[in-house]
Amino acid sequence: MRAFTYQRATSPAQAAAIVAGTPGARFIAGGTNLLDLMKLEIETPTHLVDVNGLSLDQIEATADGGLRIGALVRNTDLAADMRVRRDYGVLSRAVLAGASTQLRNKATTAGNLLQRTRCPYFYDTNQACNKRQPGSGCSATPGFSRQHAVIGASTSCIATYPGDMAVAMRLLDANVETVRADGQVRNIPIADFHRLPGNTPHIDNVLGAGELITAVTLPKPLGGTHVYRKVRDRTSYAFALVSVAAVIQPDGRGRVALGGVAHKPWRVEAAEQALPQGANAVSELLLAGATPTAENAFKIALAKRTLAAVLADARKG
């Protein structure tokens, strides 16, 4: 780990201004992803701005009947909140499916959204990786690609977004609140927050320089049956091969989103119109245009089977 300086921020606007105005500066809260990347010298910030003292750790009701989740709410607290468990069960289940208890006790809502890919070539500094070093190439494309994206990828990058929480938030149409370096507040629909790789896979999201996440807001509850199912190589502390988040209403309509298959949580609203016709009809639209490798083509069938099982369970419940 390289040497760095450290500073505690006293307000969100001040934190944003410091990071925007200091070359190599980064925010730090739980640090569960950033510190690992610093130890491997994948991330080499020269200055860390600690945002833990900014009182962004509350979950509050909104005027329209939804919830506002502070950026520093720990994953454990988010999953355990009675309002989340009662009204946004898919979110509670998704959070509990991620990482380990120890990590969830430290990891924050904002940090979870901002976590970087777990592609092994990204983590190995001896390998070419456009996400880590733009223009160097993608070792995953000709290499071991079992865990990688089957849809939304590009010739520059086939990595996947690793998180669970964001899949549920995409399903729920959450909004990401931020403050910019000039103090202006912005609301970003989560559908627009994460980027597909294109020719710039090193840019994971739409945040500007120094832009700080302050909260995530959820619309009023959807009702229906909430399900989150994660398929992985082992039952704990493993990232998804495929995950399915769903909210299904008694009339068979609802929403579905996938994790583990793309560079961002994957939801196609047009596919949801086919829910009354069954899982096969939804899958054909949801995965249209998929371009798997020879090693991860099984994810297509796995996603279809998992979606079918989730819909069957939801309709029983």
Side-chain angles (χ1 to χ4, degrees), residues 180-194:
R180 291 173 163 172
D182 59 4
Q184 290 189 346
V185 174
R186 181 159 73 129
N187 282 282
I188 307 167
I190 199 161
D192 302 329
F193 183 79
H194 295 103

Side-chain angles (χ1 to χ4, degrees), residues 1-291:
M1 185 182 289
R2 300 186 187 183
F4 58 88
T5 52
Y6 171 86
Q7 180 178 2
R8 289 192 178 107
T10 58
S11 73
Q14 184 215 31
I18 293 170
V19 170
T22 308
R26 292 288 305 275
F27 302 115
I28 188 166
T32 58
N33 190 199
L34 178 60
L35 291 177
D36 283 344
L37 295 174
M38 289 172 65
K39 291 172 185 176
L40 295 170
E41 297 193 355
I42 296 167
E43 296 273 5
T44 55
T46 57
H47 186 64
L48 292 183
V49 179
D50 189 337
V51 297
N52 280 297
L54 300 186
S55 300
L56 300 175
D57 59 353
Q58 301 299 309
I59 302 175
E60 304 166 309
T62 62
D64 62 357
L67 286 181
R68 184 177 186 271
I69 302 163
L72 297 177
V73 172
R74 306 294 165 169
N75 286 182
T76 296
D77 296 330
L78 177 61
D81 186 273
M82 287 305 300
R83 294 162 295 184
V84 175
R85 293 175 62 189
R86 181 188 65 229
D87 298 328
Y88 305 95
V90 66
L91 177 57
S92 181
R93 293 181 178 96
V95 172
L96 291 174
S100 65
T101 302
Q102 293 89 340
L103 287 172
R104 291 195 297 269
N105 287 343
K106 289 293 292 180
T108 64
T109 298
N112 203 306
L113 291 177
L114 295 172
Q115 63 184 302
R116 308 209 69 191
T117 185
R118 266 48 175 204
C119 172
Y121 298 100
F122 173 73
Y123 271 77
D124 185 347
T125 55
N126 292 312
Q127 301 290 331
C129 174
N130 288 318
K131 182 174 279 295
R132 176 172 26 82
Q133 186 177 356
S136 63
C138 176
S139 295
T141 301
F144 182 69
S145 58
R146 181 173 181 272
Q147 294 275 354
H148 288 74
V150 295
I151 196 164
S154 71
T155 56
S156 296
C157 182
I158 61 171
T160 57
Y161 172 77
D164 296 285
M165 183 191 78
V167 181
M169 288 188 168
R170 175 68 182 91
L171 187 81
L172 296 168
D173 283 334
N175 273 276
V176 181
E177 294 182 10
T178 70
V179 61
R180 291 173 163 172
D182 59 4
Q184 290 189 346
V185 174
R186 181 159 73 129
N187 282 282
I188 307 167
I190 199 161
D192 302 329
F193 183 79
H194 295 103
R195 292 165 45 102
L196 291 178
N199 295 321
T200 55
H202 60 291
I203 305 175
D204 291 333
N205 54 64
V206 299
L207 294 178
E211 192 167 4
L212 174 69
I213 296 174
T214 53
V216 176
T217 57
L218 302 178
K220 63 182 181 181
L222 293 172
T225 300
H226 291 221
V227 182
Y228 187 80
R229 182 165 299 182
K230 181 176 182 178
V231 182
R232 44 191 163 175
D233 284 327
R234 59 183 187 273
T235 57
S236 66
Y237 200 41
F239 299 100
L241 291 169
V242 167
S243 65
V244 176
V247 173
I248 306 300
Q249 303 299 334
D251 64 1
R253 300 186 182 277
R255 301 178 182 183
V256 295
L258 301 180
V261 299
H263 204 257
K264 61 188 291 185
W266 193 255
R267 182 180 172 205
V268 179
E269 282 85 340
E272 295 166 358
Q273 303 304 310
L275 274 167
Q277 302 170 38
N280 287 338
V282 178
S283 296
E284 290 303 316
L285 294 170
L286 190 58
L287 296 167
T291 55

